[in-house]
Amino acid sequence: IERAIEQDSSIVIEGCQTICYFLQQQGKINEAKSYQERAVNYHELILKAQEERSSVREKDKLESHNASDIEVNKLRQQFSHHSDIKTAYFVQKNMEFFPEKPFYVLALTREVSFLEGIHETDHSKLVNSLLEENEFLGNVFIFILNDYLNMEKKLKRIPNSMIYQKKGKK
């Protein structure tokens, strides 16, 4: 079980609980407690990682993504089917907890006419549509940049962050 835990971090809690139960049955209470504590500590790490991945702020450290060209091209293809996507920036958030599991940030600017205006429901529809269509991005935060000019300036400074620009627009 220990070797399995080393190879697959997704089973740490279950593995520790199994070992803990076994050790308790053997009367090795102190050893069992160490596995119980390990499971609790790992659970706390998971909660911190979820919190860290729940938002993207201007102060967050963002860097170039490590996705393959094939994955990025799939995204570009997907964006071309959405006439309201003007530009797309794709980066990674630097993670303190579980940095080996990339957390991608996809920031989009939408093209809207003056008469149409910007509506949050339209933003939500676009984000939800992209999440449903997307194949590879399990761990991604998608948001619309139209109201966040400082964030767009920050993204522009990251090498290779702009992965899509609607044809005919600069």
Side-chain angles (χ1 to χ4, degrees):
I1 294 174
E2 277 287 351
R3 275 187 259 142
I5 289 172
E6 286 176 28
Q7 293 178 358
D8 184 1
S9 63
S10 70
I11 63 167
V12 170
I13 294 173
E14 294 84 356
C16 287
Q17 289 172 336
T18 302
I19 294 170
C20 179
Y21 177 76
F22 173 78
L23 291 171
Q24 286 174 340
Q25 297 303 309
Q26 302 296 312
K28 299 178 181 179
I29 304 303
N30 286 338
E31 286 181 60
K33 282 183 183 177
S34 71
Y35 282 95
Q36 185 176 13
E37 288 172 13
R38 184 173 167 191
V40 167
N41 291 339
Y42 194 80
H43 179 71
E44 288 173 5
L45 277 178
I46 290 172
L47 294 177
K48 288 177 182 176
Q50 287 173 342
E51 174 66 25
E52 184 178 43
R53 287 166 163 75
S54 69
S55 66
V56 174
R57 295 181 179 86
E58 199 174 319
K59 66 180 174 116
D60 290 334
K61 186 173 181 336
L62 303 173
E63 54 196 32
S64 296
H65 65 82
N66 67 0
S68 73
D69 290 342
I70 292 170
E71 293 168 323
V72 172
N73 284 332
K74 284 182 186 177
L75 285 173
R76 287 185 183 118
Q77 185 68 29
Q78 187 179 351
F79 300 149
S80 68
H81 300 296
H82 292 274
S83 62
D84 57 339
I85 295 178
K86 187 171 155 184
T87 56
Y89 298 90
F90 185 55
V91 295
Q92 266 180 245
K93 181 177 174 181
N94 188 307
M95 306 308 293
E96 178 181 349
F97 302 100
F98 305 112
E100 70 280 2
K101 296 180 180 179
F103 181 71
Y104 296 107
V105 176
L106 181 58
L108 310 168
T109 56
R110 288 187 61 233
E111 193 172 71
V112 289
S113 69
F114 177 74
L115 296 175
E116 177 188 3
I118 298 174
H119 300 286
E120 285 299 318
T121 55
D122 294 332
H123 288 349
S124 295
K125 284 179 189 175
L126 176 59
V127 169
N128 289 334
S129 172
L130 290 170
L131 286 170
E132 287 172 14
E133 294 170 17
N134 208 310
E135 296 173 13
F136 96 93
L137 293 174
N139 220 352
V140 65
F141 187 91
I142 302 175
F143 71 101
I144 307 299
L145 272 173
N146 289 49
D147 296 328
Y148 303 100
L149 294 177
N150 286 336
M151 180 63 91
E152 185 172 10
K153 288 177 189 175
K154 179 178 181 168
L155 291 169
K156 283 180 178 181
R157 290 191 298 267
I158 299 170
N160 303 314
S161 63
M162 185 187 286
I163 62 165
Y164 178 81
Q165 188 167 29
K166 190 173 185 176
K167 290 182 179 163
K169 300 292 177 186
K170 291 190 176 184

